[in-house]
Amino acid sequence: KILIALILGYTFDKNKISSTTYLPSHETITSLMTNLKLDGELSFHNIHHASKDFGNQFRFLPLAVLYPNSVSDISTLVNYIFQMGLTSDVTIAPRGHGHSLEGQAQAHQGVVINMESLAKSQEMRFHIDDNTSPPFVDVSAGELWINILHESLKLGFAPKSWTDYLHLTVGGTLSNAGISGQAFRHGPQINNVHQLQVVTGTGEVVTCTKETNSDLFHGVLGGLGQFGIITRAHISLEPAPEMVKWIKVLYLDFATFTKDQEQLISSNNSFDYVEGFVLINRTGLLNNWRSSIKNKDPVRARRFVSEGKTIFCLEIAKYFKKEDVHTIDQKVENLLSKLNYNEFTLSISEVSYVEFLDRVHVSELKLQEKGLWDVPHPWLNLLVPKSKIHKFADEIFGKILTDSSNGPILIYPVDKSRWNTKTSMVTPNENVFYLVAFLSSAMPSSTGSDSLENILSQNKKILEVCETASLETKQYLPHYNTQEEWKKHFGSQWEVFVGRKYLYDPLAILTPGQRIFQKAV
Ligand code: FAD
């Protein structure tokens, strides 16, 4: 208990982007270089990328980056640092694709493990003809979801639950949850894995499932990298669809919009994907409607005035096989007939399953071309209980947020009644809650509404309203500066979380960038 007492009571010093170059500890370097016997490489030079992430707000230079060629490389490094005990303040952060928002995969003066390097040395193993278990793929945790999609499609299968963007690693999303428009049916990605291989904070390699080492299994899922480094995962597969009817419709009334969303996620005979987004004060909204999507009634649609208004877009998808091409339109029409959207705003496109799932990558390429992808991303993701979503919308949309041109605002409900609630993921108390994601991009030299400062201040106001109006929201991809805030975030799960830290990473070596625990030295 003494160690835990040391790592509790922690307040993070809020250093933003820092230009400081640190003098690495020569003793640690010499000791790591001479003592570690690795299949891969420990580099003290190729380290600069590991001090960056998608959020582009925090920058901490590590001492070294491990490019592992085997799981044993990872366990050797962790065990070595563990054996150094309290004499060293070196920490270790696994880095997936580095798409964290606030330095969560960084380790200031520590060692970052490049998990994609591990994936290069490990193969994907498909288990689809096995009569004893449902189909799954056994993959490296450093593998990108997009690669898993392409490989599994070659066999006619695919994972069931996704994120909106697939250029993320398995370990990175499983450490959070992995939520997208399929989660209402299949749960988040952490619900669709049934075996993990984990290197704990002592360097021990442990295989865990719901039945064996189940506490570690549940702990690392949504565990923010605190209890172990996931090195392999068994991911559930299903026979893959080939095509997708991708549909968008608009609503002027929030109550009608949410009623339809909630009805869709409660039915077993529904669409396969349900999301939505908020559009505030968008001029000529429908004129800019995605060019690949054809409006049913373009003349009336063009008259749709969006200036000064808050409009809600329901985004839904129905998957199908090519052999169902003659019946799919009727099926979609039947499902749509139960909804109450503004009829003339219906937009339907037909795309391949890969095009649909990899849709955000298309936007990424466009933004990269314009130099707008590597800008600061002060994102705020909230989980809002169903009973509070109307109050939330009243207080935020059109009041705190008067336009949505800094980036998409996603909003869609999920129902956790069928989820595995033993994981470390924190959700509101109600079964149905909304994911509301403010996905802002800040313009580096701007002083206007799209400046980093302005967006951060808007985020702060949103969080303050949630607090003062007792909306009982929880942050997703959480970010806090003090342990008190973390304690509040975890609520009744805090004690279990701390207990697991004590068991699996007693020196608090792992994943310091989450700023939950500080290494005891
Ligand atoms: P990293 O940023 O590298 O790591 C994330 C955290 O996990 C870090 O703390 C890291 O130390 C830890 N970690 C990494 N690998 C491991 C491992 N093997 N074992 C243990 N801990 C590990 N999320 C959703 O749920 N739904 C979405 O639809 C969604 N869309 C997104 C779209 C974009 C464009 C972006 C940038 C992010 C999106 N996210 C979404 C968030 C995303 O899931 C997380 O940021 C995720 O952590 C990124 O994965 P990564 O591989 O880049 O992880």
Side-chain angles (χ1 to χ4, degrees):
K1 300 276 177 198
I2 295 165
L3 287 175
I4 284 295
L6 282 169
I7 56 180
L8 293 178
Y10 171 45
T11 303
F12 177 71
D13 174 18
K14 210 178 174 189
N15 275 327
K16 285 285 174 87
I17 292 189
S18 134
S19 55
T20 325
T21 44
Y22 299 94
L23 265 187
S25 146
H26 292 289
E27 271 175 48
T28 313
I29 289 186
T30 320
S31 135
L32 286 171
M33 284 182 80
T34 45
N35 294 314
L36 288 187
K37 301 279 171 277
L38 301 169
D39 300 320
E41 189 203 350
L42 185 70
S43 172
F44 297 91
H45 305 291
N46 190 5
I47 58 173
H48 289 272
H49 70 286
S51 69
K52 295 182 199 154
D53 59 28
F54 181 76
N56 211 348
Q57 294 182 68
F58 289 79
R59 224 171 250 197
F60 295 106
L61 202 62
L63 186 65
V65 173
L66 173 69
Y67 295 88
N69 245 338
S70 62
V71 173
S72 142
D73 281 354
I74 298 176
S75 82
T76 303
L77 171 75
V78 179
N79 184 257
Y80 188 77
I81 302 287
F82 178 71
Q83 295 298 339
M84 287 172 100
L86 304 183
T87 61
S88 154
D89 61 357
V90 170
T91 52
I92 297 173
R95 183 181 199 270
H97 204 48
H99 276 48
S100 287
L101 298 162
E102 283 111 352
Q104 285 92 339
Q106 298 177 25
H108 169 50
Q109 285 294 280
V111 184
V112 167
I113 302 179
N114 184 311
M115 296 303 293
E116 285 188 83
S117 165
L118 178 71
K120 284 186 197 130
S121 67
Q122 293 191 319
E123 55 177 16
M124 284 186 218
R125 297 182 207 125
F126 285 90
H127 298 257
I128 49 182
D129 295 322
D130 184 349
N131 290 333
T132 57
S133 67
F136 71 93
V137 58
D138 174 8
V139 290
S140 168
E143 196 58 79
L144 294 178
W145 284 98
I146 183 72
N147 297 338
I148 299 173
L149 174 64
H150 286 305
E151 287 308 306
S152 49
L153 281 182
K154 287 179 189 163
L155 302 166
F157 283 79
K160 301 171 185 173
S161 187
W162 297 98
T163 47
D164 293 343
Y165 175 65
L166 307 186
H167 299 249
L168 306 169
T169 64
V170 168
T173 68
L174 293 185
S175 300
N176 285 296
I179 309 176
S180 183
Q182 304 85 6
F184 77 93
R185 174 154 304 149
H186 299 292
Q189 291 179 325
I190 53 172
N191 257 53
N192 291 281
V193 278
H194 48 87
Q195 181 170 307
L196 297 172
Q197 184 189 54
V198 175
V199 176
T200 68
T202 62
E204 192 186 353
V205 183
V206 182
T207 298
C208 51
T209 66
K210 263 186 210 163
E211 289 80 28
T212 313
N213 298 312
S214 63
D215 186 63
L216 180 62
F217 178 75
H218 292 123
V220 292
L221 294 172
L224 308 173
Q226 294 306 301
F227 314 121
I229 299 167
I230 305 169
T231 44
R232 286 197 80 85
H234 288 190
I235 295 162
S236 295
L237 299 174
E238 64 181 2
E242 291 164 323
M243 301 297 294
V244 175
K245 289 279 182 189
W246 184 7
I247 299 154
K248 290 182 187 181
V249 289
L250 299 180
Y251 294 71
L252 287 166
D253 176 45
F254 188 65
T256 316
F257 167 70
T258 49
K259 196 169 161 228
D260 276 0
Q261 280 192 321
E262 286 168 23
Q263 184 242 309
L264 286 172
I265 68 153
S266 67
S267 162
N268 281 331
N269 174 25
S270 173
F271 288 93
D272 298 298
Y273 162 99
V274 177
E275 286 203 8
F277 44 96
V278 186
L279 300 151
I280 305 171
N281 198 9
R282 286 285 186 89
T283 307
L285 176 66
L286 288 187
N287 295 342
N288 302 329
W289 216 226
R290 215 175 267 267
S291 57
S292 59
I293 296 176
K294 299 279 174 279
N295 278 127
K296 209 177 175 186
D297 186 347
V299 178
R300 287 181 69 197
R302 238 174 272 131
R303 281 191 228 129
F304 190 88
V305 178
S306 52
E307 283 92 324
K309 289 188 187 157
T310 299
I311 289 163
F312 307 96
C313 175
L314 174 68
E315 185 184 39
I316 41 188
K318 188 77 189 158
Y319 304 159
F320 64 104
K321 291 253 186 203
K322 282 184 184 145
E323 68 212 40
D324 298 327
V325 71
H326 302 297
T327 53
I328 187 67
D329 284 338
Q330 191 56 50
K331 255 189 213 162
V332 166
E333 207 166 313
N334 289 348
L335 290 172
L336 284 172
S337 69
K338 295 176 198 151
L339 303 177
N340 296 296
Y341 55 90
N342 279 46
E343 221 176 286
F344 62 85
T345 64
L346 174 67
S347 301
I348 303 187
S349 66
E350 192 175 303
V351 291
S352 73
Y353 189 48
V354 174
E355 276 176 283
F356 174 69
L357 290 178
D358 202 22
R359 60 198 178 277
V360 176
H361 187 52
V362 176
S363 311
E364 174 186 358
L365 294 177
K366 285 185 192 152
L367 289 169
Q368 266 176 356
E369 226 175 76
K370 295 183 197 157
L372 295 176
W373 182 253
D374 293 321
V375 296
H377 293 103
W379 286 9
L380 177 65
N381 287 269
L382 295 173
L383 306 177
V384 185
K386 172 183 157 181
S387 67
K388 310 279 184 184
I389 194 68
H390 295 276
K391 175 97 178 134
F392 180 90
D394 283 351
E395 295 287 340
I396 312 286
F397 306 138
K399 277 197 198 163
I400 294 181
L401 284 185
T402 48
D403 76 73
S404 51
S405 53
N406 292 337
I409 304 169
L410 307 186
I411 179 164
Y412 58 92
V414 288
D415 181 347
K416 71 170 180 196
S417 55
R418 281 178 284 181
W419 296 13
N420 174 0
T421 48
K422 288 183 184 161
T423 67
S424 294
M425 186 199 176
V426 173
T427 60
N429 277 334
E430 293 172 22
N431 273 341
V432 176
F433 56 85
Y434 279 76
L435 174 72
V436 187
F438 301 93
L439 307 179
S440 310
S441 296
M443 293 306 112
S445 51
S446 165
T447 51
S449 63
D450 55 0
S451 67
L452 179 61
E453 200 181 12
N454 185 59
I455 298 169
L456 287 173
S457 131
Q458 226 166 37
N459 289 351
K460 196 165 162 243
K461 279 188 206 146
I462 295 171
L463 289 171
E464 277 164 10
V465 164
C466 292
E467 189 65 29
T468 48
S470 304
L471 299 182
E472 290 159 39
T473 55
K474 292 287 179 193
Q475 280 191 39
Y476 176 57
L477 310 173
H479 166 67
Y480 300 105
N481 293 313
T482 67
Q483 205 171 62
E484 258 330 286
E485 291 170 305
W486 278 111
K487 208 170 160 181
K488 193 161 171 233
H489 171 78
F490 281 104
S492 58
Q493 285 166 253
W494 175 243
E495 271 187 32
V496 173
F497 201 80
V498 172
R500 282 176 175 158
K501 188 71 176 174
Y502 179 65
L503 258 181
Y504 303 116
D505 181 24
L507 296 185
I509 289 169
L510 299 179
T511 320
Q514 297 280 2
R515 304 179 195 98
I516 308 173
F517 303 102
Q518 189 173 33
K519 188 173 180 191
V521 277

